[in-house]
Amino acid sequence: MDKYLTNTEKLINHIYWFYEDLETLPKKDHYGLSINYTDLKERKDDFLSELTNTVVSWVYNNSKSKDLFDKRFAETSDYGNAANFLTNQAYKKFRKGYPQGQFGELLLFNLIQHYYKAVPILRKQRITTSVGHERFGADAIHYKKQGDDNVFILGESKCYESKYSFNSAFETSLNSVVTTFDLLDKEIDLYLYDDFLEPELEDVVKTYKAGKLPDVKFELVCMVAYNETTKITGENEKNIKEAIKTIIKNRCKSFDQEKFKIINEALLTRINYIVFPIWELDILLDAFQSKVGS
């Protein structure tokens, strides 16, 4: 299955991350992320460039991308023209006026592949913009074979640009991913017989729907990207990153533990967090919108 993973290395080079206990429930290691630093310099421009470089892979699988590129090249005999055509076709799939949601979903698409090594089953961006298909269910549905287990990873992204919104984003993401788990079978029914499924993974999904896929395991991923307002301190790269880690852990530790009580205990153990504070997120989203034209 690894051959179906898209390339994420260039993007991850511009992300600082750690995998530790974030002092919240469930009690286990989770991911804390931020845009990377080189000494005192935040690599925000390079991060955004590499993120938008993954747009085509988010919208189209490899075979569809190759088909579009080859047909355009056959018409023009111009590699640059064909490459720009493919990119512009992908940008047209973006919903106008929704940079927060699409930024978060694109980021989640890449992070699940990189950290969990799970391939995307559905290209949700194509579903979102297709006539007759409303937004429904998970922001990401990925799959991997892990030993004997057939693992489905359901992802939810919440991206809030307003200040002081961490708790709201965290709670909404938590509730959304539980709802996604509950409604998964109905969601798959909507797309199983359309062309939204990756052809290579269609048999896996059909076998699951038939109740014949053995050793199925579900993992849930909540990604919270939010506008952080705490001032970063530090006189060098190491100190800055330690300050970011402390900010993330303090945010998670302060989240109201009562909010977890409505979640089934066994299901709670399957939830994994990716917490991504971004300073001046509103400015970054404006730049993202300008790049993709959404």
Side-chain angles (χ1 to χ4, degrees):
M1 284 294 175
D2 285 355
K3 65 182 179 181
Y4 301 127
L5 293 170
T6 64
N7 188 286
T8 58
E9 294 297 331
K10 295 287 188 181
L11 172 63
I12 299 301
N13 286 342
H14 297 295
I15 293 176
Y16 160 62
W17 63 274
F18 61 92
Y19 185 59
E20 295 181 11
D21 182 359
L22 296 183
E23 301 182 47
T24 191
L25 297 177
K27 192 75 173 175
K28 61 180 180 179
D29 289 347
H30 302 277
Y31 287 99
L33 280 65
S34 75
I35 295 173
N36 209 0
Y37 272 79
T38 300
D39 193 19
L40 303 178
K41 183 175 181 59
E42 186 183 28
R43 304 299 297 274
K44 187 170 286 188
D45 290 339
D46 291 320
F47 164 81
L48 186 58
S49 292
E50 292 300 341
L51 180 64
T52 54
N53 283 343
T54 68
V55 164
V56 171
S57 296
W58 183 36
V59 176
Y60 301 119
N61 59 36
N62 283 339
S63 59
K64 183 64 175 179
S65 293
K66 185 177 185 304
D67 180 60
L68 289 171
F69 182 92
D70 288 348
K71 286 179 178 177
R72 184 69 174 190
F73 182 75
E75 295 173 358
T76 64
S77 299
D78 186 324
Y79 286 105
N81 183 291
N84 286 330
F85 171 79
L86 178 59
T87 300
N88 287 330
Q89 289 301 113
Y91 285 169
K92 288 178 182 178
K93 299 294 183 181
F94 277 73
R95 306 184 303 283
K96 303 296 182 183
Y98 295 89
Q100 288 185 101
Q102 293 174 115
F103 172 87
E105 290 166 18
L106 176 60
L107 189 55
L108 181 65
F109 163 82
N110 284 283
L111 297 180
I112 289 179
Q113 291 188 87
H114 186 82
Y115 294 122
Y116 298 96
K117 305 302 179 187
V119 300
I121 290 179
L122 298 180
R123 288 308 200 265
K124 297 301 293 283
Q125 185 63 3
R126 291 179 63 204
I127 294 169
T128 301
T129 54
S130 294
V131 175
H133 287 83
E134 295 297 327
R135 198 73 182 93
F136 188 94
D139 291 330
I141 302 177
H142 291 234
Y143 168 82
K144 67 178 177 180
K145 186 74 174 177
Q146 185 170 292
D148 292 330
D149 291 336
N150 288 289
V151 182
F152 290 88
I153 296 180
L154 313 181
E156 280 294 325
S157 164
K158 296 303 171 190
C159 178
Y160 282 33
E161 68 174 304
S162 58
K163 296 179 180 179
Y164 317 115
S165 58
F166 172 80
N167 286 336
S168 296
F170 197 96
E171 182 179 1
T172 303
S173 179
L174 195 62
N175 293 335
S176 293
V177 81
V178 172
T179 300
T180 290
F181 174 77
D182 291 339
L183 298 179
L184 175 65
D185 292 347
K186 291 181 179 179
E187 180 175 10
I188 289 177
D189 280 339
L190 291 178
Y191 313 129
L192 184 56
Y193 298 105
D194 283 306
D195 66 347
F196 300 122
L197 285 170
E198 289 276 19
E200 300 86 350
L201 297 170
E202 188 172 340
D203 287 344
V204 172
V205 179
K206 286 183 176 179
T207 305
Y208 165 77
K209 283 298 296 179
K212 296 180 179 180
L213 190 66
D215 302 311
V216 172
K217 182 178 181 181
F218 294 103
E219 292 287 344
L220 283 58
V221 174
C222 297
M223 191 199 77
V224 180
Y226 69 98
N227 190 18
E228 181 57 73
T229 57
T230 305
K231 184 178 180 180
I232 299 177
T233 58
E235 297 179 350
N236 54 52
E237 181 178 331
K238 181 180 179 180
N239 291 344
I240 289 171
K241 290 178 176 178
E242 285 299 322
I244 291 171
K245 181 186 291 189
T246 298
I247 289 168
I248 291 173
K249 288 190 172 184
N250 285 342
R251 290 289 187 189
C252 292
K253 184 167 57 177
S254 65
F255 183 71
D256 185 1
Q257 301 291 296
E258 293 293 315
K259 303 292 186 182
F260 295 109
K261 290 185 176 180
I262 63 171
I263 301 173
N264 175 277
E265 289 185 9
L267 187 61
L268 181 61
T269 65
R270 302 291 183 87
I271 294 178
N272 307 273
Y273 302 125
I274 300 174
V275 181
F276 201 139
I278 299 175
W279 281 258
E280 297 182 329
L281 176 57
D282 53 339
I283 296 175
L284 184 66
L285 289 175
D286 286 344
F288 174 74
Q289 183 169 261
S290 295
K291 278 181 175 288
V292 302
S294 63

